[in-house]
């Protein structure tokens, strides 16, 4: 079993990031394969979003953690943890691209507001 973890800070409000994943944007941000996101759920001082991906003919399951960053108001830490029997290198690259794309989209949306 492959377990991948990707963490990235982003200059955006945690609730805004969670809302971004509640729509079609999350599916569009995952590279190359079909991704399904569950509804954002409150978790402590942040949110979690469950994720299922059809990764290279193998199902992958994971969770996106969205918590307030320590950098101050409007800072968020994203944490994607995903597990699969899919090849490690390709799934790891997809996970990194997704987190970077999510951070960029959230930051862009936050700057426009």
């Amino acid at each position: 079993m492959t377990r991948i973890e990707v963490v990235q800070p982003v200059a955006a409000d945690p609730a805004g990031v969670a809302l971004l994943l509640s729509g079609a944007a999350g599916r569009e941000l995952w590279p190359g394969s079909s991704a399904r996101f569950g509804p954002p759920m409150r978790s402590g001082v942040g949110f979690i979003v469950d994720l299922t991906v059809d990764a290279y003919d193998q199902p992958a399951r994971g969770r996106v953690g969205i918590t307030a960053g320590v950098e101050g108001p409007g800072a968020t830490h994203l944490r994607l943890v995903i597990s699969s029997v899919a090849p490690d290198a390709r799934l790891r690259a997809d996970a990194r691209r997704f987190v970077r794309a999510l951070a960029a989209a959230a930051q862009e949306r936050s700057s426009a507001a």
Side-chain angles (χ1 to χ4, degrees):
M1 177 79 58
T2 298
R3 183 180 185 275
I4 297 165
E5 183 173 343
V6 181
V7 178
Q8 177 156 344
V10 59
D13 179 67
V17 177
L19 286 173
L20 187 63
L21 287 178
S22 69
R27 291 186 304 273
E28 294 168 2
L29 294 172
W30 187 271
S33 57
S34 67
R36 292 174 301 284
F37 292 87
M41 300 175 283
R42 282 299 259 162
S43 175
V45 295
F47 300 90
I48 55 171
V49 178
D50 289 327
L51 162 70
T52 305
V53 177
D54 295 327
Y56 311 104
D57 299 323
Q58 297 292 328
R61 299 198 189 304
R63 181 168 275 180
V64 180
I66 305 162
T67 58
V70 296
E71 295 84 5
T76 297
H77 282 167
L78 300 175
R79 180 174 179 254
L80 170 64
V81 178
I82 192 165
S83 299
S84 176
V85 294
D88 178 55
R90 294 188 329 195
L91 184 58
R92 185 175 305 279
D94 285 352
R96 286 184 182 139
R97 278 193 296 271
F98 168 74
V99 170
R100 278 186 294 219
L102 176 58
Q107 203 163 320
E108 182 179 314
R109 178 182 270 191
S110 180
S111 297

